[in-house]
Amino acid sequence: MLQEDDLIQIKKKGIKSETLENQLHNFRNGFPYIQLLRPAIQGDGIITFTEQEKNEYIRFFEKEAPFLRVIKFVPASGAASRMFKHLFEFRDSLMSSKGIPKSYFSDTGFDSVHYFFQNIDRFAYFPDLDASLQKEGKTIRQALAAKDFLPVLNHLLSETGLNYAALPKALLAFHNYEDGPRVAMEEHLVEAANYARNQSNVTKVHFTVSPEHILKFDEKIAAVKKKYEDHFGIHMDIRHSIQKSSTDTIAVDENNQPFRNPDGTLLFRPAGHGALLANLNELDTDVIFIKNIDNVVPDRLKIPTFEYKKLIGGYLLQIRQRISDFLKKVESGSITADEIRKMAAFATSHNLINPSTDFKNKSEDKQLIVLTRELNRPIRVCGMVRNAGEPGGGPFWVTGKDGESSLQIVESSQVDLKDTVQNAIFQTSTHFNPVDLVCCTIDYKGNPFNLHNFVDESTGFISLKSSGGRTLKAQELPGLWNGSMAGWITLFVEVPLITFNPVKTINDLLRDEHQ
């Protein structure tokens, strides 16, 4: 099916031929559903701490972290266009002969266009938007009084004004302060300064950025970096990377044949946040905090975020220390039978390993083999909030190919919801994944793991899309915190709901938590 020009195109993208064959195989055969065993709940997969334990882990982190290489990793390459879906639809109606739709007057709820316009002066970007509109000789208030909505929307969404629909969320003004608005990216700098600085007062932050946004991103960093360095008395090491072209996946038509562009070239598409595993794999560091770009709050609400970041960080460091001490003892050849028993008890009780039921019946030598293999893996501690009805993944016990259970973050698309048993398990989940992770990706000797060795390749996802009016199938790689980390040591810790305040639509910025 592939022509010589196709092979040249594939080679230029850095995609291996076997990778392409695997993708085509996945289209033909699909991905299996994950098998849920039960939801992870408090006391069975989700850890809660007393106030005393919480404070002890925070103190441990504050003591140890300055001497480690700590970095904050923020996936920020997505465009903000989906935030404005309801505004685009409203604008399309205005531009047609239909005029103002009746729904504008009948639907006045929080998520409505009506609510957006009634509260437009509460957005952090309002002064900039008003200044842009005044170039046409009118203010926003004058335009809205005349129900002249179109120029307001044009100055918000298009190149006429702020061009917000073409920017990444990282560069949208989220919150108001006395010295002016802050974009989402700035809020992450403030967070990092409070829990990711080392003994040399260096704070490291790494963003993933789309190629088309790099220039504006760099301009904003250059404009604000010194301000935060001076305020916190630190040096900020801010870097970014792009989603690698080699992680794109081929698209196919409805007959699973490679989809071609009008010029005859193959169509490749970005493969979702799982593609960022390649970026994460290149970070040679001790501790990595991962958090989504839109999950930030103003300074007045940041204290719980700082506390619980340090809590999960402290817990990670204590677990890592215990594992490292054990594996070093094994390597030295001086491990005793009593130490093996104690580590086996610790590892099983803390869900560091979830071996088959006959593990306890194995000899000490065979237990040692299992422990050495299972403990020498990347570690992640994931904050989990109580389920408040948000769409997305949650924490579950799942059954693997080998019959052993493991803790995983599972999305609804990975579950056969037509299966009444699986659906019931999924619906009884008590917690939600807010993408609040702290990770250790180096082994007990300080060498980085190859993270690609711990991916469950069977957890990808296929969806229907379109290009040029033609239907196509697109394939996403295993999600970064789903199948891409399936082989990691995974620990879930309950964190308060106040630490989860995502901005999925522009109206979310009108919530009290963002004002």
Side-chain angles (χ1 to χ4, degrees):
M1 292 183 292
L2 299 181
Q3 304 161 7
E4 187 175 346
D5 288 347
D6 299 334
L7 298 176
I8 295 172
Q9 182 185 358
I10 292 165
K11 187 175 181 180
K12 282 183 178 179
K13 287 186 71 66
I15 297 175
K16 297 178 180 178
S17 58
E18 55 266 34
T19 300
L20 189 71
E21 286 300 325
N22 286 336
Q23 292 171 10
L24 293 172
H25 172 82
N26 292 335
F27 279 120
R28 291 191 295 267
N29 296 278
F31 292 100
Y33 287 115
I34 206 162
Q35 290 301 304
L36 302 180
L37 190 60
R38 62 187 185 276
I41 60 174
Q42 184 177 336
D44 182 24
I46 295 183
I47 308 160
T48 56
F49 296 113
T50 65
E51 195 66 22
Q52 180 180 342
E53 289 170 331
K54 170 188 162 186
N55 292 332
E56 287 174 357
Y57 284 120
I58 289 174
R59 285 195 295 271
F60 186 76
F61 179 83
E62 291 175 338
K63 180 181 129 186
E64 298 292 327
F67 303 98
L68 299 172
R69 298 170 301 166
V70 180
I71 194 168
K72 184 172 188 184
F73 181 84
V74 186
S77 48
S81 53
R82 282 181 292 181
M83 290 177 59
F84 304 102
K85 182 176 180 290
H86 63 319
L87 298 185
F88 275 119
E89 292 171 350
F90 185 73
R91 188 176 72 165
D92 288 345
S93 180
L94 294 178
M95 294 172 68
S96 71
S97 58
K98 298 176 183 177
I100 300 174
K102 293 180 181 179
S103 60
Y104 175 79
F105 303 99
S106 60
D107 181 5
T108 59
F110 179 83
D111 295 318
S112 68
V113 175
H114 185 277
Y115 195 89
F116 167 83
F117 280 117
Q118 289 297 110
N119 294 274
I120 196 169
D121 58 345
R122 295 171 56 204
F123 287 105
Y125 56 76
F126 177 81
D128 290 336
L129 181 60
D130 199 41
S132 179
L133 191 63
Q134 285 183 38
K135 295 174 184 176
E136 292 189 11
K138 67 178 78 172
T139 65
I140 291 177
R141 288 186 175 86
Q142 288 171 340
L144 297 187
K147 291 190 170 48
D148 190 11
F149 301 115
L150 192 56
V152 179
L153 292 176
N154 285 338
H155 279 264
L156 174 65
L157 301 173
S158 70
E159 293 179 348
T160 303
L162 305 187
N163 204 22
Y164 264 24
L167 294 179
K169 283 186 182 180
L171 298 181
L172 303 192
F174 265 36
H175 304 135
N176 260 321
Y177 293 90
E178 288 184 5
D179 61 348
R182 277 186 206 162
V183 300
M185 175 269 293
E186 291 177 85
E187 298 291 20
H188 282 280
L189 300 183
V190 174
E191 276 198 23
N194 279 274
Y195 55 76
R197 72 166 72 186
N198 64 21
Q199 62 175 337
S200 301
N201 285 322
V202 175
T203 296
K204 294 186 176 183
V205 189
H206 187 105
F207 296 91
T208 61
V209 185
S210 294
E212 65 270 23
H213 298 145
I214 286 177
L215 181 60
K216 287 186 177 296
F217 194 89
D218 285 343
E219 288 175 350
K220 189 63 177 179
I221 291 290
V224 303
K225 183 170 179 277
K226 189 175 186 305
K227 166 185 171 182
Y228 294 110
E229 288 180 330
D230 292 346
H231 180 78
F232 291 105
I234 59 175
H235 169 70
M236 286 195 152
D237 183 353
I238 305 168
R239 303 189 184 189
H240 55 65
S241 60
I242 63 172
Q243 190 165 310
K244 298 180 185 300
S245 176
S246 59
T247 64
D248 291 349
T249 54
I250 193 169
V252 299
D253 61 24
E254 293 177 280
N255 295 315
N256 296 320
Q257 301 301 311
F259 190 99
R260 295 187 180 276
N261 295 306
D263 63 359
T265 57
L266 298 171
L267 176 63
F268 288 88
R269 294 174 54 89
H273 54 70
L276 299 180
L277 185 72
N279 305 65
L280 196 67
N281 200 43
E282 293 181 348
L283 299 180
D284 183 9
T285 189
D286 296 302
V287 177
I288 306 170
F289 285 98
I290 303 177
K291 190 177 182 184
N292 275 344
I293 187 65
D294 64 347
N295 184 16
V296 287
V297 289
D299 287 351
R300 66 183 179 86
L301 296 176
K302 280 193 174 74
I303 296 301
T305 294
F306 300 156
E307 290 179 345
Y308 280 89
K309 280 289 189 296
K310 293 177 182 178
L311 165 66
I312 63 175
Y315 188 61
L316 172 85
L317 292 179
Q318 287 216 1
I319 292 293
R320 176 199 175 198
Q321 185 179 85
R322 186 75 180 265
I323 290 174
S324 295
D325 290 346
F326 174 76
L327 293 177
K328 287 175 183 176
K329 203 80 181 278
V330 172
E331 188 176 49
S332 71
S334 61
I335 194 84
T336 66
D338 184 55
E339 287 170 330
I340 294 173
R341 284 193 296 271
K342 286 181 178 177
M343 192 62 203
F346 178 80
T348 52
S349 65
H350 285 73
N351 296 322
L352 306 184
I353 65 171
N354 298 288
S356 55
T357 52
D358 66 341
F359 175 77
K360 292 181 180 179
N361 300 324
K362 292 180 184 292
S363 66
E364 287 165 0
D365 287 345
K366 289 186 176 179
Q367 283 192 2
L368 183 59
I369 291 172
V370 173
L371 287 168
T372 303
R373 181 187 70 238
E374 294 299 306
L375 293 177
N376 194 25
R377 295 184 289 158
I379 311 169
R380 59 172 175 164
V381 178
C382 313
M384 291 290 162
V385 298
R386 287 279 175 177
N387 198 329
E390 292 282 351
F396 292 89
W397 288 98
V398 306
T399 304
K401 298 173 187 175
D402 53 9
E404 294 184 358
S405 62
S406 65
L407 287 167
Q408 301 291 341
I409 297 172
V410 180
E411 307 287 334
S412 60
S413 59
Q414 297 177 267
V415 182
D416 183 3
L417 297 178
K418 294 179 181 177
D419 182 312
T420 54
V421 174
Q422 291 291 291
N423 194 355
I425 295 173
F426 189 80
Q427 298 302 332
T428 53
S429 176
T430 59
H431 287 72
F432 175 82
N433 163 43
V435 190
D436 190 358
L437 288 73
V438 59
C439 309
C440 175
T441 57
I442 57 172
D443 65 18
Y444 67 100
K445 296 179 181 180
N447 300 315
F449 288 107
N450 182 351
L451 302 182
H452 297 289
N453 293 336
F454 301 90
V455 177
D456 182 353
E457 300 289 355
S458 70
T459 57
F461 180 75
I462 294 172
S463 59
L464 290 177
K465 304 288 184 180
S466 66
S467 177
R470 298 157 56 205
T471 299
L472 60 84
K473 290 183 182 179
Q475 187 173 153
E476 289 194 8
L477 295 173
L480 183 59
W481 37 84
N482 309 115
S484 284
M485 296 182 177
W488 295 31
I489 293 173
T490 295
L491 302 166
F492 295 144
V493 172
E494 184 175 88
V495 296
L497 191 58
I498 189 61
T499 62
F500 179 55
N501 297 280
V503 178
K504 300 305 179 188
T505 73
I506 194 66
N507 284 34
D508 284 336
L509 288 173
L510 296 173
R511 297 187 186 279
D512 290 343
E513 293 83 2
H514 292 287
Q515 290 293 304

